Amino acid sequence: MQVAVSAFLVVLLAAKSCSDTPVRFEVPQPEGVRDEKSIPKKYQGEFREVTNGKSAAISTLVITSQLVTESNESFDTLLLSSVKEKERKEIDSVRATLKEPWKPNVVEDKKGTVVTVQFSGDTVLLRVLDRPDTIFDMEGNHIRQQARELFVNTPDSIYWRLRRLTLRKDTLFMRRTGELDAISLSKMMGRADTLYLFRPTKPQWKKFIKEGGFRYVTKYVRVRR
């Protein structure tokens, strides 16, 4: 039975995302490298995020020859004794509509997100599953390969944001840019500002990569079925 869930429950499971502002580039990178016509076969497959066991959110990537999609699964536990009376009444009203509250129940299924809730005494178990979202499509975008790594260019207005993909056997590293990269590029290019918009020369790009550019890393492992 599907019921309307309170905003209170949904907010609790909003996945935490990196707040760092990504660097943008004036032209696709690496500059002067040809575009790939498809995503190399060795990168294709399903990859699940590796966490430290403390994370409440897990990402899954599905990579085909033309697309990269991402879905997120989040979990949380709430103690009813720790919430305010008004919020407790909202949660109790949701539980009252469930025939079997001790089992996982879908309480929200819209806008690409499925929320399930399960009650166990004073504890509420929450799970949010986001349906796959396309983060890269070969059509209209650019994917380039350099030194056995992929650089995925996606448009941001008239500029470009990048992801750096590195594959080591069955382990995939997705690297993004942020504040530390902006500082590094600004220093490298002799700029006093950090406007997060750059067009490095080939030597500057090479140095940026060598010094660990794309410092925000998510690790994935290939799913074997």
Side-chain angles (χ1 to χ4, degrees), residues 163-177:
R163 292 179 177 88
R164 177 184 177 187
L165 301 183
T166 307
L167 184 64
R168 297 175 184 168
K169 295 185 177 179
D170 281 341
T171 303
L172 178 71
F173 299 89
M174 178 180 283
R175 308 173 191 269
R176 297 175 172 85
T177 57

Side-chain angles (χ1 to χ4, degrees), residues 25 29-31 146-147 149 151 164 180-181 183-191 199-215:
F25 295 90
Q29 299 293 329
E31 194 168 356
Q146 186 178 65
E149 294 184 308
F151 293 89
R164 177 184 177 187
L180 294 177
D181 297 295
I183 294 172
S184 175
L185 282 166
S186 294
K187 182 178 179 181
M188 190 182 303
M189 300 174 73
R191 287 168 38 175
R199 186 174 182 176
T201 63
K202 289 184 180 180
Q204 288 169 340
W205 171 264
K206 184 177 180 180
K207 183 180 179 181
F208 176 59
I209 297 300
K210 185 177 181 181
E211 293 182 352
F214 297 82
R215 289 164 171 80

Side-chain angles (χ1 to χ4, degrees), residues 5-24:
V5 68
S6 69
F8 173 72
L9 289 176
V10 177
V11 169
L12 283 174
L13 260 187
K16 294 181 180 179
S17 59
C18 179
S19 60
D20 292 283
T21 303
V23 168
R24 297 186 299 168

Side-chain angles (χ1 to χ4, degrees), residues 70-86:
E70 180 180 30
S71 58
N72 291 284
E73 188 174 14
S74 306
F75 305 88
D76 202 0
T77 301
L78 172 69
L79 293 178
L80 294 178
S81 57
S82 67
V83 303
K84 298 178 180 179
E85 183 179 355
K86 180 180 178 181

